[in-house]
Amino acid sequence: MDFDALELLFQASLPVQIILGILVIASITSWVLIFEKYFTLSRSTDVSHELEDRFWEGEKIESLYISLKEKDINDLETSELIFVSTYDSLNSNKDPSDNIESTERLIRVIVNREEERLSKNLSLLATISSSAPYIGLLGTVIGIINAFQGLSTTAQLTLSSVAPGISEALVATAVGLLAAIPALIAYNQFSKKLDNLINGSLAFAEQLIIQINKK
């Protein structure tokens, strides 16, 4: 008997079809999020690393500040926001010790907001990766139940009498795993990349404060 996935889907019971539909939607959603988070995190990481490299290579702080102020503040990435905000705060007309304390508080606020922005929808990826196998398992259970119900109406036990129910059960399991595995891998990779970006930005901010206070 040839395997036809579309025919199997159309012949599946309504509950299994609904479960497969949910899993397909979850899979499509996860891939949309994967591409969106990939480009968002890659851009923020690349731009932040470029600024940090220019800083460590000895480019003048004033020159970096002027180039960043020419940009729209909404277009600034994590390290750029930290740089501009730190420079403005430390060069305000306040007591130096107060400047440092207020600057450190400002940096924490910026980092928290950036982490919140860059981690947006990551929790949805985690939810899909953890729930999709169980949703697929539910379809598996329903498919097996249908297979046994088919036996009760069949006088003679044959492979063809149980194959449809077993097939739809296995398909539900496979689709659940196909939805979960990419979401899980992407979530782990993006979480690690985000942690590295945030930790690197905090280290950059510490050195920036030191360098500006030397002037």
Side-chain angles (χ1 to χ4, degrees):
M1 181 176 64
D2 295 333
F3 177 77
D4 190 328
L6 288 178
E7 182 180 352
L8 182 62
L9 176 61
F10 291 135
Q11 291 180 352
S13 61
L14 181 59
V16 174
Q17 288 181 342
I18 293 174
I19 288 172
L20 289 175
I22 293 173
L23 290 173
V24 169
I25 293 173
S27 181
I28 293 172
T29 301
S30 69
W31 278 108
V32 170
L33 293 177
I34 286 170
F35 283 111
E36 188 272 328
K37 298 314 296 181
Y38 173 79
F39 288 114
T40 299
L41 283 171
S42 294
R43 171 177 167 75
S44 185
T45 300
D46 292 342
V47 172
S48 294
H49 284 173
E50 180 183 356
L51 174 64
E52 292 168 17
D53 289 341
R54 292 169 64 188
F55 174 79
W56 292 118
E57 288 171 1
E59 186 170 341
K60 291 184 178 180
I61 293 178
E62 291 79 5
S63 175
L64 290 172
Y65 176 78
I66 292 172
S67 66
L68 293 178
K69 288 295 287 186
E70 294 175 352
K71 295 183 178 181
D72 189 316
I73 191 170
N74 294 321
D75 295 332
L76 297 179
E77 295 296 339
T78 306
S79 288
E80 293 178 325
L81 276 171
I82 289 174
F83 188 100
V84 171
S85 300
T86 300
Y87 188 94
D88 287 338
S89 179
L90 290 177
N91 286 281
S92 61
N93 296 321
K94 295 180 181 179
D95 182 82
S97 60
D98 291 338
N99 274 1
I100 293 177
E101 292 181 3
S102 61
T103 299
E104 290 175 344
R105 289 195 298 270
L106 178 61
I107 289 172
R108 286 195 292 270
V109 171
I110 293 173
V111 167
N112 288 336
R113 291 182 63 181
E114 283 296 289
E115 185 173 13
E116 181 179 354
R117 176 180 72 87
L118 294 172
S119 65
K120 184 179 179 181
N121 293 326
L122 271 184
S123 60
L124 182 54
L125 272 181
T127 300
I128 292 174
S129 68
S130 61
S131 63
Y134 294 103
I135 297 174
L137 182 61
L138 176 60
T140 300
V141 172
I142 294 175
I144 292 175
I145 291 173
N146 290 337
F148 280 107
Q149 287 178 340
L151 291 178
S152 63
T153 60
T154 303
Q156 184 178 2
L157 175 62
T158 62
L159 180 60
S160 61
S161 65
V162 297
I166 298 298
S167 296
E168 71 179 39
L170 295 177
V171 168
T173 301
V175 175
L177 292 175
L178 288 174
I181 292 173
L184 177 61
I185 294 173
Y187 174 77
N188 289 335
Q189 292 298 314
F190 292 152
S191 296
K192 182 179 179 181
K193 194 169 188 176
L194 178 58
D195 288 341
N196 290 338
L197 174 61
I198 295 301
N199 292 333
S201 298
L202 288 171
F204 173 66
E206 292 178 2
Q207 291 300 317
L208 184 60
I209 292 174
I210 293 173
Q211 292 298 321
I212 293 177
N213 281 331
K214 286 181 178 179
K215 296 183 176 299

